[in-house]
């Protein structure tokens, strides 16, 4: 589902006006990073690969080289951010130990 949302966001970001020919604003990386923060780095890599392959066959003009570069750039950023986030959050006690945890913030 996140791959489909990322693809739609990518299509919408292609409609935005471009500053120059080589500089494009790509908003699909935000959706992929949200998936990385929610489900981990492996899911971000899978979402990135799926979106890049579908983009290569539908709207991209760079071919397989652009697909590989797109996957590498997105995975490098999102997987690193998700790994750092997941490893820096402290473990919490289960809610059965802390009955007031139902009302506490998840952060």
């Amino acid at each position: 589902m996140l791959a489909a949302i990322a693809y739609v966001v990518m299509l919408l970001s292609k409609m935005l006006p471009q500053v120059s020919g080589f500089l494009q604003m790509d908003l699909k990386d935000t959706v992929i990073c949200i998936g990385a923060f929610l489900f981990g780095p492996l899911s971000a890599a899978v979402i990135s690969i799926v979106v890049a392959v579908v983009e290569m066959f539908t709207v991209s003009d760079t071919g397989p080289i652009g697909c590989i570069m797109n996957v590498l750039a997105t995975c490098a950023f999102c997987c690193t951010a998700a790994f750092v986030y997941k490893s820096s959050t402290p473990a919490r006690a289960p809610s059965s130990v802390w009955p007031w945890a139902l009302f506490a913030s998840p952060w």
Side-chain angles (χ1 to χ4, degrees), residues 77-89:
F77 173 69
C78 293
C79 292
T80 303
F83 180 74
V84 169
Y85 174 75
K86 293 277 186 181
S87 64
S88 66
T89 54

Side-chain angles (χ1 to χ4, degrees), residues 28-100:
K28 72 175 179 197
D29 295 339
T30 57
V31 176
I32 295 172
C33 282
I34 290 171
F37 288 137
L38 289 176
F39 302 115
L42 183 61
S43 66
V46 170
I47 295 169
S48 174
I49 291 169
V50 168
V51 172
V53 168
V54 172
E55 180 183 358
M56 179 184 69
F57 287 121
T58 56
V59 296
S60 178
D61 55 351
T62 57
I65 301 297
C67 178
I68 292 170
M69 292 297 122
N70 198 352
V71 168
L72 290 177
T74 305
C75 284
F77 173 69
C78 293
C79 292
T80 303
F83 180 74
V84 169
Y85 174 75
K86 293 277 186 181
S87 64
S88 66
T89 54
R92 292 180 287 161
S95 60
S96 61
V97 176
W98 305 102
W100 59 85

